[in-house]
Amino acid sequence: MHPRYRLGYIIAEDPSSYQIPTIEPVHIWNSSNKDIVSLRKNLLRQWIFASIELWTVIFLISTIYFGSGSNPSKYTDNLDVNIIDYDGDLAGYYFTNAFRQTASGNSTLHWCYKDSSDFNHNVDDTQDEVQNGKVWAAVVLRADTTRLINQSFAALANTTTTLISPFISTLPILVIYGDGRNTFTVNTYVLPPIRSAIAKASAQYGQYLRSTLIHNLSSSANSANNYTQQLFNTFQIGSLLVDPLSASYQNIHPGSPLV
Ligand SMILES: *[C@@H]1O[C@H](CO)[C@@H](O)[C@H](O)[C@H]1NC(C)=O
Ligand SMILES: *[C@@H]1O[C@H](CO)[C@@H](O)[C@H](O)[C@H]1NC(C)=O
Ligand SMILES: *[C@@H]1O[C@H](CO)[C@@H](O)[C@H](O)[C@H]1NC(C)=O
Ligand SMILES: *[C@@H]1O[C@H](CO)[C@@H](O)[C@H](O)[C@H]1NC(C)=O
Ligand SMILES: *[C@@H]1O[C@H](CO)[C@@H](O)[C@H](O)[C@H]1NC(C)=O
């Protein structure tokens, strides 16, 4: 066939006969090619500037988020904290008394003593005022705390019963707060005085329980008592003697996306 004819057609050839171009891969991080070196320098510079900008933005946002580490008075004028005693017995007495004795740390922080009837006797309802921003936190002493603690101690003294643990299944005190409102204010002005009041309440009630327990055990001392059993029971509910009013903390509106 004449070669001119052939040009009009696309001749299908065996693809494996094509030459595969051999291109050396260029490594941007270790190539010594002049262009690549300057490209590399440029990229690094851009990357560093971009990171600095990014961190500056993150820093600015987080300072706004955390309240800039300062407390504008609009945040701290009225730091109201609800104190609610659902127990209404001996534990409740130690609970409210400790708050009355505990300086709120800042004159703008106020303990507001409320009755459980203000919240339909329902612990869940105490969240609402924290949620709505009416108060900065709510501190609740759960109902039946004294009764359950009394039961635990009665069982301790009763030598026919072997205690496994205290009768209390949930921690007696619940602290509800939301640091999303202002993390700095909550962690600096609101929570520390609450913690110290709870620690005081627990220490004073614990001391009362220890001294009445000793009194009860010594007055009931007779040969019929199994002291081994009583000692064993004492160890089982030791946490009640040390820290009867322990608390759980519930952050219903966490402020920081970083933690
Ligand atoms: C209480 O808060 C106000 C307002 O932020 C502040 O000026 C003052 O120094 C604080 N006082 C104490 C004892 O922390
Ligand atoms: C618990 O015991 C104390 C005495 O230690 C008593 O004053 C209180 O009324 C008792 N409360 C209940 C609910 O048993
Ligand atoms: C001691 O425990 C036993 C068994 O639970 C009970 O029957 C008894 O009434 C208890 N005694 C006292 C004084 O609580
Ligand atoms: C001491 O005994 C009294 C009377 O039985 C009881 O009400 C109280 O709960 C007991 N307290 C302790 C800590 O055992
Ligand atoms: C006293 O209690 C311990 C532990 O429960 C038991 O092993 C022991 O037999 C009891 N002693 C008497 C005299 O009941």
Side-chain angles (χ1 to χ4, degrees):
M1 214 191 286
H2 198 275
R4 247 174 47 199
Y5 260 112
R6 280 188 125 179
L7 291 174
Y9 297 93
I10 295 166
I11 308 291
E13 286 177 42
D14 177 9
S16 61
S17 69
Y18 290 137
Q19 246 199 340
I20 297 166
T22 49
I23 299 170
E24 275 296 312
V26 177
H27 292 292
I28 193 158
W29 297 120
N30 54 24
S31 169
S32 52
N33 180 312
K34 229 175 64 196
D35 290 341
I36 301 293
V37 169
S38 80
L39 176 66
R40 181 165 65 212
K41 281 184 179 161
N42 248 328
L43 267 181
L44 269 174
R45 199 174 309 136
Q46 277 175 19
W47 180 76
I48 289 170
F49 276 112
S51 320
I52 291 174
E53 279 164 8
L54 180 63
W55 282 110
T56 310
V57 169
I58 290 176
F59 175 75
L60 286 177
I61 290 176
S62 46
T63 50
I64 293 164
Y65 218 98
F66 293 124
S68 328
S70 68
N71 252 328
S73 58
K74 66 173 169 150
Y75 289 130
T76 50
D77 268 355
N78 243 337
L79 297 181
D80 287 344
V81 173
N82 279 345
I83 311 296
I84 314 141
D85 170 18
Y86 281 71
D87 177 67
D89 204 326
L90 211 55
Y93 163 78
Y94 282 99
F95 174 73
T96 46
N97 212 36
F99 276 94
R100 293 209 166 89
Q101 292 169 6
T102 303
S104 43
N106 193 296
S107 53
T108 57
L109 180 60
H110 307 290
W111 306 134
C112 307
Y113 300 95
K114 299 267 175 77
D115 200 83
S116 62
S117 61
D118 297 335
F119 302 93
N120 306 314
H121 302 284
N122 184 353
V123 170
D124 291 339
D125 285 5
T126 57
Q127 281 206 10
D128 297 346
E129 291 197 349
V130 182
Q131 193 86 55
N132 301 337
K134 275 193 80 180
V135 294
W136 283 74
V139 188
V140 174
L141 176 65
R142 293 183 189 277
D144 280 342
T145 299
T146 307
R147 192 178 60 79
L148 290 170
I149 288 177
N150 281 3
Q151 264 181 23
S152 301
F153 283 100
L156 177 155
N158 185 341
T159 53
T160 61
T161 315
T162 300
L163 277 173
I164 306 298
S165 65
F167 289 124
I168 311 249
S169 52
T170 44
L171 297 181
I173 293 179
L174 173 65
V175 181
I176 301 166
Y177 67 101
D179 70 5
R181 198 166 161 185
N182 185 307
T183 309
F184 182 79
T185 302
V186 169
N187 290 310
T188 312
Y189 292 110
V190 180
L191 288 181
I194 291 176
R195 286 206 181 89
S196 91
I198 291 173
K200 186 177 286 176
S202 198
Q204 290 176 345
Y205 188 34
Q207 188 175 21
Y208 165 84
L209 289 172
R210 288 190 297 273
S211 59
T212 46
L213 176 67
I214 290 166
H215 175 81
N216 280 6
L217 291 182
S218 59
S219 68
S220 70
N222 60 57
S223 50
N225 271 339
N226 185 335
Y227 298 123
T228 314
Q229 185 70 59
Q230 282 181 341
L231 187 63
F232 176 79
N233 283 347
T234 307
F235 281 123
Q236 290 307 99
I237 64 167
S239 63
L240 267 191
L241 286 169
V242 177
D243 186 19
L245 299 181
S246 43
S248 60
Y249 289 79
Q250 194 181 342
N251 190 353
I252 57 169
H253 180 203
S256 169
L258 310 170
V259 292

